[in-house]
Amino acid sequence: MTKDVIALTPTMPDVRTLLAGLYAGGPDLRVRTAADGAVVQLCTPDGNTLVSIEAPILIHTPGEPSRLLGTKTIAPDTPVWWTEARATTAVPEAAQLAGSFAGRLATVLNGITWPPEAATTDVIPLTSDTTTTPANTTPHPAIDVLTDTTAVVLQDRPVIPMTSWLSDALRTAITSDRALHIVTPNTARLTLPTRNALGGHPHRWVVQDPHDGYYDGLSGAVLRWQNGTFAPTRTAPGATPVAPAFTNTTDTGERQLILALRTRHPADEQLILGRALETTWRHLTGTPPAGWSTAEPVNLPWSTRQLTDLARRRAPQPTSLIAIGHPDRPALATIRIARTPAGVEEDITLALGYTEHEPPPLEAIPSLAEALTTANHGLTSMLTSLRHAPRDLTIPPHITPPPTPIALTLGPDTVHDIGPHHAQHPPLNLTPTQLGPASRPALHYALGDATDDQTWTTLKRLTQHLRMGT
């Protein structure tokens, strides 16, 4: 497995401290930069990359190191500097070099390393014969194996976040018409941004299991390495077996409340994005989001102005963002902002976690729907659902039941496009609540409380009826 080692320090690593860390391999190793200077690489004299070090990140978001590195990680209080080193698997000493680099930073700056057992300050001599080791010809330092069809990334951390490394590796794979396969042990979990970024075939989460070999962590399909990629194993009739480990689950009673919102705004200079998400967050948790970023770890304090400025600079290209809540209430959102012929659109998915003894605030959904549709947030639709899933919002390599719909809300523009009379009279025992002025109403359809499996059928019939009106 590739080794990722992280130094968490209360002060920024300066040039002298970074140089002290880079001398972990002695004076014979070379140092070079990549990714326009954002990555420093420690290399053998003949050019093979041993360790790639990302530029330090200042994290303002409370609890973020513990969320991504495990709740037992005792990190310095935020703000904290996160410096990540990634070792290649091609040379045995590379992992020790990464540990010595991070250990030296933590020692000089009074910080800690993750994993703690990787830390050292020793000089690591290079004893392997690197002249027989193929140079790293992969197009990105996060990619460990590259074939004609697949880019493979090996990860051995407890939580697999959508870091800037991994995001770049995914873009590299897509632009070269390859699949990205992330290989992890069966103890690893994905964050919601990583799960969403994989997006299904051809990208995969490949789980190593001592009993089942390899299987897909999202579908359960048993996999094997064949023709330069991980592909499903086929039985004689052509079916794909499902790994027993994927179906071996226990219901803990934990649940996630999921809200899928879409907004649309006129493209003008006064536009401020993120307000619908902030209103939703405050309504359901009592506080705004704690932070936002383009990747994990989430490092910036929440600011609708700053995220709007970023989206405006990137336009007309779309912008994907992540928002995170405070540690006492697990909450995480993914946001995609796009410029379309209709204006500026936000596609938001917000998930909030609850234990068995923490009832999700379902009673707050109707008033939230009213707040979003009557306060000029540009809401076009909101689907609220509830699912049995971990409170910490991670995705384990096990089967999880689909969410159960709770409510559907349509904004006034959507209702107008469908036709108010048609939208208010579905062929069901279902009467929507009218929100806003009667001349241009929004509508809120209460579908249930997640105790009735028939709500999916109700939602399907409702959406079929609404499409007939457009």
Side-chain angles (χ1 to χ4, degrees):
M1 276 291 183
T2 296
K3 294 294 184 180
D4 300 338
V5 187
I6 299 163
L8 299 170
T9 57
T11 56
M12 180 181 178
D14 57 17
V15 173
R16 294 180 64 182
T17 305
L18 289 173
L19 287 173
L22 291 170
Y23 267 95
D28 294 333
L29 298 185
R30 293 169 49 192
V31 176
R32 67 186 179 199
T33 60
D36 296 325
V39 176
V40 177
Q41 294 178 328
L42 190 61
C43 308
T44 65
D46 48 356
N48 287 351
T49 300
L50 298 172
V51 179
S52 297
I53 302 151
E54 194 172 19
I57 302 170
L58 179 59
I59 298 176
H60 292 273
T61 313
E64 190 67 350
S66 297
R67 180 179 76 90
L68 299 181
L69 302 178
T71 55
K72 295 182 180 180
T73 299
I74 302 175
D77 293 336
T78 50
V80 62
W81 288 91
W82 172 299
T83 307
E84 185 162 342
R86 181 177 175 83
T88 179
T89 54
V91 179
E93 296 88 350
Q96 295 173 281
L97 281 170
S100 182
F101 169 82
R104 290 169 175 231
L105 260 62
T107 299
V108 173
L109 300 177
N110 196 30
I112 66 168
T113 61
W114 179 94
E117 64 273 13
T120 179
T121 57
D122 297 339
V123 173
I124 309 299
L126 187 62
T127 59
S128 299
D129 182 7
T130 60
T131 60
T132 61
T133 303
N136 183 8
T137 58
T138 63
H140 192 279
I143 297 174
D144 296 285
V145 178
L146 190 70
T147 71
D148 290 342
T149 61
T150 306
V152 179
V153 174
L154 308 178
Q155 291 277 268
D156 61 352
R157 47 214 290 175
V159 178
I160 312 301
M162 183 45 60
T163 61
S164 58
W165 297 80
L166 200 52
S167 180
D168 286 343
L170 178 60
R171 281 193 292 270
T172 299
I174 292 173
T175 55
S176 62
D177 198 25
R178 290 179 170 93
L180 180 71
H181 289 182
I182 303 174
V183 182
T184 76
N186 63 348
T187 54
R189 295 160 288 149
L190 305 184
T191 65
L192 181 62
T194 304
R195 166 65 183 89
N196 291 347
L198 287 178
H201 184 77
H203 310 303
R204 290 191 187 277
W205 175 20
V206 181
V207 178
Q208 289 181 306
D209 186 82
H211 304 292
D212 298 318
Y214 296 100
Y215 70 92
D216 191 306
L218 300 177
S219 70
V222 176
L223 305 172
R224 66 186 178 94
W225 181 257
Q226 49 187 320
N227 300 321
T229 192
F230 286 99
T233 300
R234 303 293 183 185
T235 59
T240 300
V242 174
F246 184 73
T247 59
N248 185 17
T249 62
T250 302
D251 184 6
T252 63
E254 296 180 321
R255 289 172 290 179
Q256 295 177 8
L257 182 63
I258 303 171
L259 299 98
L261 301 85
R262 290 185 175 178
T263 70
R264 185 168 60 237
H265 314 270
D268 59 51
E269 294 183 357
Q270 281 68 48
L271 173 63
I272 299 294
L273 298 166
R275 287 179 172 174
L277 177 61
E278 180 174 321
T279 295
T280 303
W281 217 296
R282 287 183 182 276
H283 204 90
L284 297 177
T285 71
T287 62
W292 74 284
S293 187
T294 57
E296 295 175 294
V298 175
N299 63 316
L300 300 172
W302 176 251
S303 170
T304 55
R305 171 63 68 181
Q306 289 181 1
L307 70 86
T308 301
D309 290 344
L310 176 64
R312 184 172 283 117
R313 288 195 302 270
R314 291 187 172 185
Q317 297 299 315
T319 297
S320 295
L321 305 172
I322 304 165
I324 194 74
H326 296 273
D328 58 343
R329 167 57 57 215
L332 188 148
T334 57
I335 311 112
R336 187 178 188 275
I337 300 168
R339 180 72 167 89
T340 70
V344 180
E345 299 187 3
E346 297 172 290
D347 194 341
I348 302 165
T349 299
L350 169 62
L352 303 101
Y354 302 88
T355 68
E356 181 180 10
H357 305 293
E358 294 176 316
L362 303 184
E363 72 286 348
I365 300 303
S367 58
L368 170 62
E370 184 171 14
L372 290 173
T373 56
T374 59
N376 197 29
H377 286 299
L379 185 76
T380 59
S381 67
M382 179 175 71
L383 177 63
T384 305
S385 56
L386 192 66
R387 73 183 307 166
H388 288 270
R391 179 182 185 267
D392 65 7
L393 307 179
T394 59
I395 291 86
H398 308 300
I399 190 171
T400 54
T404 302
I406 300 295
L408 175 66
T409 306
L410 301 180
D413 289 347
T414 306
V415 173
H416 175 78
D417 293 341
I418 294 171
H421 180 80
H422 184 85
Q424 288 175 332
H425 296 87
L428 301 161
N429 185 22
L430 187 66
T431 302
T433 301
Q434 181 177 301
L435 307 173
S439 59
R440 199 174 179 86
L443 296 176
H444 178 74
Y445 303 83
L447 303 175
D449 59 1
T451 59
D452 185 358
D453 294 337
Q454 295 303 309
T455 50
W456 269 117
T457 301
T458 301
L459 178 62
K460 181 179 179 180
R461 293 181 62 190
L462 173 61
T463 54
Q464 288 174 341
H465 169 76
L466 295 173
R467 289 194 188 101
M468 293 173 61
T470 57

